[in-house]
Amino acid sequence: MSTTQTPAMTPPVTIPQDRTLSPADRQLFEELSARHYRQAYHIAYRMAGSHARAEDLTQEAMVRAFQSFHRYRRELPFANWLYRIIVNLHIDELRRRPKAWIDSVEDMPGLMELPDLNSDPSDLVLSQEIDTSLQHALNALPKDFRTAVVLCDIEGLSYEEIAEVMRCSIGTVRSRIHRGRNHLRRLLGVTH
């Protein structure tokens, strides 16, 4: 096994030895995964709703991406391919999850992450309150709406890219984003 260091907030990605990839393909995968890890983690966090589950989801997606890298079409954006893997893994997790879900201690409200000592404390509190409210509202959305809204409004993907990731038409993407945004507004108490 070899280890690739990913962006500062993430643990290293452990890449299994595989004799089917050439050294050049292996290096390309390591570069692409390091470049896209942070954004993949953010998508996983918004989908899963907790840091612990997002880390697990991102790591599993990286392992799956590596195992399937020989099927990746180089002319297509790696990020979109990786997002599709994350979405599929998250959907699979939701299907396997028992109806009564027990959150880990890390997921409990009131526990805070380590503060940035250079930040204004009031900004930090406001940011955490907004993030918590937004994440609770996102978690309440149906999974297709949540996926479309996260990919569009948080990750900035185009409708065409979202349609590719979600394997649906652009019209369906537009509908899911519109309905998801309206549902979010209601949940957050925002009026037009």
Side-chain angles (χ1 to χ4, degrees):
M1 295 230 168
S2 75
T3 301
T4 299
Q5 186 63 40
T6 55
M9 67 173 242
T10 59
V13 176
T14 302
I15 300 178
Q17 293 296 331
D18 184 23
R19 304 200 191 292
T20 61
L21 287 182
S22 69
D25 280 349
R26 183 180 184 79
Q27 182 175 350
L28 176 62
F29 177 81
E30 290 179 3
E31 289 169 7
L32 289 170
S33 65
R35 185 178 323 144
H36 295 285
Y37 191 95
R38 175 171 255 150
Q39 193 172 11
Y41 172 84
H42 287 292
I43 287 176
Y45 174 71
R46 292 300 177 192
M47 301 283 301
S50 80
H51 292 290
R53 282 187 252 156
E55 287 173 15
D56 292 345
L57 186 58
T58 306
Q59 287 292 317
E60 179 63 25
M62 289 295 180
V63 169
R64 295 273 178 97
F66 179 78
Q67 292 169 341
S68 303
F69 195 64
H70 62 281
R71 291 190 302 244
Y72 165 62
R73 293 180 16 213
R74 304 302 196 271
E75 68 273 10
L76 299 176
F78 179 79
N80 292 1
W81 183 68
L82 182 59
Y83 301 159
R84 181 72 223 161
I85 293 170
I86 291 169
V87 168
N88 286 340
L89 286 170
H90 179 67
I91 290 169
D92 290 346
E93 177 189 323
L94 290 175
R95 287 182 184 137
R96 285 190 309 267
R97 183 184 297 171
K99 296 297 179 198
W101 184 259
I102 300 172
D103 288 333
S104 71
V105 172
E106 178 186 326
D107 298 333
M108 293 176 67
L111 293 181
M112 300 181 69
E113 295 181 35
L114 293 175
D116 178 1
L117 299 176
N118 296 325
S119 294
D120 178 14
S122 62
D123 289 344
L124 225 112
V125 169
L126 181 61
S127 174
Q128 288 175 339
E129 287 176 9
I130 291 170
D131 186 60
T132 300
S133 297
L134 178 60
Q135 191 59 55
H136 285 305
L138 282 170
N139 289 346
L141 291 178
K143 66 183 176 192
D144 288 337
F145 293 176
R146 178 178 1 157
T147 301
V149 168
V150 166
L151 293 176
C152 180
D153 295 336
I154 296 175
E155 296 305 323
L157 270 63
S158 69
Y159 288 175
E160 292 80 10
E161 292 170 319
I162 297 168
E164 180 183 324
V165 168
M166 295 185 72
R167 293 189 179 140
C168 63
S169 72
I170 292 174
T172 300
V173 167
R174 286 186 176 133
S175 171
R176 288 176 180 171
I177 291 170
H178 176 74
R179 293 172 67 192
R181 286 174 179 163
N182 285 341
H183 199 99
L184 270 177
R185 282 185 195 103
R186 283 192 304 277
L187 291 169
L188 294 170
V190 176
T191 57
H192 296 299

